[in-house]
Amino acid sequence: MPQTSVVFSSILGPSCSGQVLPGMGERGSGASSSGDLVFQEGRLISGSLEALMEHLVPTVDYYPDRTYIFTFLLSSRVFIPPHDLLARVGQICLEQRQQLETGSEKAKLKSFSAKIVQLLKEWTEAFPYDFQDEKAMAELKAITHRVTQCDEENGTVKKAIAQMTQSLLLSLAARSQLQELRDKLRSPAMDKGSVLKTKPPATQKDILGVCCDPLVLAQQLTHIELERVSSIHPEDLMQIVSHMDSRDKHRCRGDLTKTYSLEAYDNWFNCLSMLVATEVCRVVKKKHRTRMLEFFIDVARECFNIGNFNSMMAIISGMNLSPVARLKKTWSKVKTAKFDVLEHHMDPSSNFCNYRTALQGATQRSQMANSSREKIVIPVFNLFVKDIYFLHKIHTNHLPNGHVNFKKFWEISRQIHEFMTWTQVECPFEKDKKIQNYLLTAPIYSEEALFIASFESEGPENHMEKDSWKTLRTTLLNRA
């Protein structure tokens, strides 16, 4: 399994494939039109952008479905920046308010104001980062000022707005602090941690010296996964759709920050793969290398049982890297039956059909779970990204009549919402700082150093390997 780069190489790779719905965006039987909105079996499947915006705004007798609110707020950023959408929502609200004021219907006006505040509350809770933009915050203040004009001094509408504003500011402050911390810890793009150029002293600790229980290590990897994935937000994932879209002319502020959260999580996958390879290749004795391989196979199996597919894939990827895979004498001593089962689960044929079946089983277990442990689902992130991206690329944003293909965005939203549900699970395992510190800070070999260590353990066996080994030694001598 090759290493990946989430936002760039992996989504552009020609071999990527994702699950999509056939006929998405086509008007099937049972389609009906309501103005500029088209419904199919009672479900909204397309509409003009203006009609979709109007469908978002409540009226005295109507409040949009929560799934529609989430889906439209998430997908609309492909077409219009959040602050512009908020401005249009404000205009529609003002028009409706003026009609109610003309009719002198104070009770209805108060009900309408309460619904507008509820919509804004759901927006600020689901996508607080939208309001880091000064323009969006100014629009929010303008709308809330309008809807409070009919409310008494300590009325319910004003109280609701005060609570909403306070919660939003707290969310923005927390995220700002987290971003500052990330900026301090962020390493250069080419740096993968402390890189070892030669074999370490025999006295230097390895992973087995820190943790020799595969279940415990799998639990600590799950801890790290859940901590890291929790920094990803729905709008970050929507960057998969808009980041590479050549027709997207509405770049939101903070795009680089958003894609960084995806890249940072993907980088963890690559570092874990390299750490596994390093731990194997650095071992001098064949017997100990065999034990190390069998240990990581058991760790990957425990990750699978937990539902931590991302760490499982990273470990398998590390053992499939060329410097490790070529150690035939070492592998000949390994009991590979367990490893064969793991590779079967991660077989890439038929669009990773076996993995998707296992993921579906873990999802069903999570939905019926009575404990946090049973709720854990951590998908292979790179495959999730490819699914979203290909769903976007295969189906157009607009239909021939100019309508937004909302059926497509329902499916993208559904997958992102499901992913976000998984990220909010509280880790049930007790944190072991010693083990986590090793996993996150242990030095790892560069790719060149991995090959050197591999050839030192088991010499080259064919002309290609001999040429590679000769080139590596020449490079080392020139550096010396």
Side-chain angles (χ1 to χ4, degrees):
M1 301 292 177
Q3 295 180 49
T4 58
S5 178
V6 159
V7 181
F8 302 102
S9 62
S10 74
I11 35 187
L12 293 177
S15 62
C16 304
S17 62
Q19 291 180 311
V20 295
L21 299 181
M24 191 171 293
E26 298 175 1
R27 282 200 199 185
S29 59
S32 63
S33 178
S34 176
D36 282 336
L37 298 176
V38 178
F39 294 82
Q40 187 177 54
E41 297 176 355
R43 189 172 183 82
L44 177 61
I45 61 169
S46 74
S48 67
L49 182 59
E50 178 64 24
L52 291 170
M53 287 190 287
E54 290 177 357
H55 195 58
L56 175 71
V57 181
T59 66
V60 173
D61 304 314
Y62 161 79
Y63 190 81
D65 182 80
R66 290 195 71 182
T67 55
Y68 176 77
I69 293 174
F70 179 83
T71 300
F72 183 70
L73 290 178
L74 180 65
S75 58
S76 63
R77 62 199 66 232
V78 174
F79 308 100
I80 182 172
H83 62 82
D84 283 349
L85 173 61
L86 193 59
R88 182 65 189 117
V89 167
Q91 290 173 356
I92 298 171
C93 289
L94 181 59
E95 291 167 4
Q96 291 196 37
R97 180 183 172 82
Q98 288 173 340
Q99 290 178 4
L100 291 171
E101 286 176 338
T102 303
S104 301
E105 300 182 76
K106 191 171 183 180
K108 288 186 177 181
L109 186 60
K110 191 172 181 179
S111 173
F112 170 70
S113 298
K115 288 180 179 179
I116 294 299
V117 173
Q118 178 61 27
L119 173 66
L120 295 175
K121 180 175 180 288
E122 292 193 39
W123 190 339
T124 57
E125 287 177 348
F127 305 100
Y129 199 79
D130 288 351
F131 298 88
Q132 189 160 323
D133 188 305
E134 292 179 3
K135 293 179 181 177
M137 188 59 83
E139 292 293 345
L140 178 65
K141 289 178 180 177
I143 296 173
T144 54
H145 176 71
R146 290 179 199 136
V147 300
T148 55
Q149 288 179 350
C150 70
D151 200 28
E152 52 269 20
E153 185 61 32
N154 294 311
T156 55
V157 173
K158 286 184 177 178
K159 286 181 179 178
I161 289 174
Q163 292 173 353
M164 175 193 73
T165 304
Q166 184 179 15
S167 296
L168 173 60
L169 293 176
L170 288 173
S171 295
L172 291 176
R175 200 174 291 194
S176 178
Q177 290 174 358
L178 181 61
Q179 186 56 44
E180 287 177 8
L181 180 61
R182 282 185 196 154
D183 292 340
K184 289 179 182 178
L185 297 176
R186 188 175 186 180
S187 56
M190 296 303 293
D191 185 22
K192 296 265 196 274
S194 303
V195 177
L196 299 174
K197 299 298 182 184
T198 57
K199 281 186 178 287
T203 55
Q204 185 167 321
K205 194 177 293 184
D206 61 16
I207 187 65
L208 288 172
V210 178
C211 177
C212 59
D213 187 332
L215 175 58
V216 173
L217 189 63
Q219 290 174 344
Q220 295 309 305
L221 286 170
T222 303
H223 229 299
I224 294 172
E225 291 278 357
L226 288 173
E227 283 183 0
R228 300 219 162 192
V229 79
S230 66
S231 67
I232 296 174
H233 302 278
E235 61 268 34
D236 302 336
L237 293 168
M238 207 62 190
Q239 293 299 305
I240 299 166
V241 172
S242 63
H243 190 81
M244 294 289 182
D245 194 336
S246 61
R247 290 179 299 174
D248 175 29
K249 306 226 176 9
H250 306 292
R251 297 283 187 234
C252 303
R253 291 183 60 187
D255 277 358
L256 293 176
T257 301
K258 292 175 184 178
T259 55
Y260 169 64
S261 68
L262 304 181
E263 291 171 40
Y265 185 51
D266 184 63
N267 188 55
W268 152 248
F269 178 99
N270 293 335
C271 286
L272 178 56
S273 295
M274 294 294 282
L275 177 62
V276 169
T278 299
E279 292 290 326
V280 174
C281 290
R282 65 186 287 209
V283 179
V284 177
K285 294 184 179 179
K286 181 171 63 177
K287 182 170 114 176
H288 293 160
R289 280 198 304 277
T290 301
R291 185 187 173 202
M292 187 68 76
L293 279 171
E294 290 180 337
F295 174 71
F296 276 118
I297 290 171
D298 287 338
V299 173
R301 187 178 65 165
E302 294 295 350
C303 286
F304 177 83
N305 292 336
I306 289 171
N308 181 359
F309 299 106
N310 201 55
S311 288
M312 173 192 172
M313 178 69 98
I315 293 169
I316 294 174
S317 297
M319 290 189 285
N320 278 327
L321 290 174
S322 295
V324 180
R326 66 165 297 278
L327 298 172
K328 295 179 181 178
K329 294 176 182 177
T330 304
W331 279 102
S332 69
K333 301 296 182 180
V334 174
K335 298 174 183 176
T336 57
K338 295 176 185 175
F339 188 66
D340 292 341
V341 172
L342 293 174
E343 289 216 300
H344 172 74
H345 286 307
M346 293 299 164
D347 182 358
S349 62
S350 300
N351 190 23
F352 289 87
C353 178
N354 296 338
Y355 158 70
R356 295 184 189 283
T357 300
L359 179 64
Q360 185 178 13
T363 301
Q364 291 172 350
R365 179 190 67 184
S366 176
Q367 291 169 347
M368 298 182 291
N370 296 317
S371 66
S372 295
R373 180 165 183 161
E374 295 174 327
K375 290 181 180 179
I376 295 172
V377 182
I378 305 173
V380 179
F381 187 63
N382 185 251
L383 292 180
F384 173 78
V385 165
K386 287 178 180 178
D387 285 351
I388 295 294
Y389 185 74
F390 264 74
L391 183 61
H392 165 59
K393 292 302 289 183
I394 290 173
H395 301 287
T396 60
N397 289 344
H398 292 91
L399 301 178
N401 64 356
H403 277 194
V404 172
N405 182 5
F406 207 68
K407 191 173 182 181
K408 161 187 170 176
F409 291 105
W410 275 124
E411 178 60 17
I412 291 177
S413 172
R414 184 194 66 77
Q415 292 192 26
I416 290 178
H417 185 271
E418 185 174 50
F419 180 85
M420 297 311 301
T421 301
W422 295 333
T423 68
Q424 292 163 14
V425 173
E426 185 177 349
C427 187
F429 310 123
E430 186 175 346
K431 186 174 183 178
D432 189 312
K433 292 183 179 180
K434 182 180 178 183
I435 296 174
Q436 289 200 20
N437 184 62
Y438 186 89
L439 290 169
L440 295 171
T441 64
I444 58 176
Y445 282 159
S446 64
E447 187 176 354
E448 180 184 81
L450 281 174
F451 272 108
I452 293 171
S454 179
F455 285 133
E456 287 179 348
S457 296
E458 296 185 21
E461 293 190 348
N462 53 52
H463 291 300
M464 187 178 294
E465 286 192 346
K466 287 177 182 178
D467 289 342
S468 297
W469 182 219
K470 184 179 179 180
T471 302
L472 282 171
R473 283 188 299 179
T474 302
T475 302
L476 288 175
L477 287 172
N478 290 336
R479 286 178 186 168

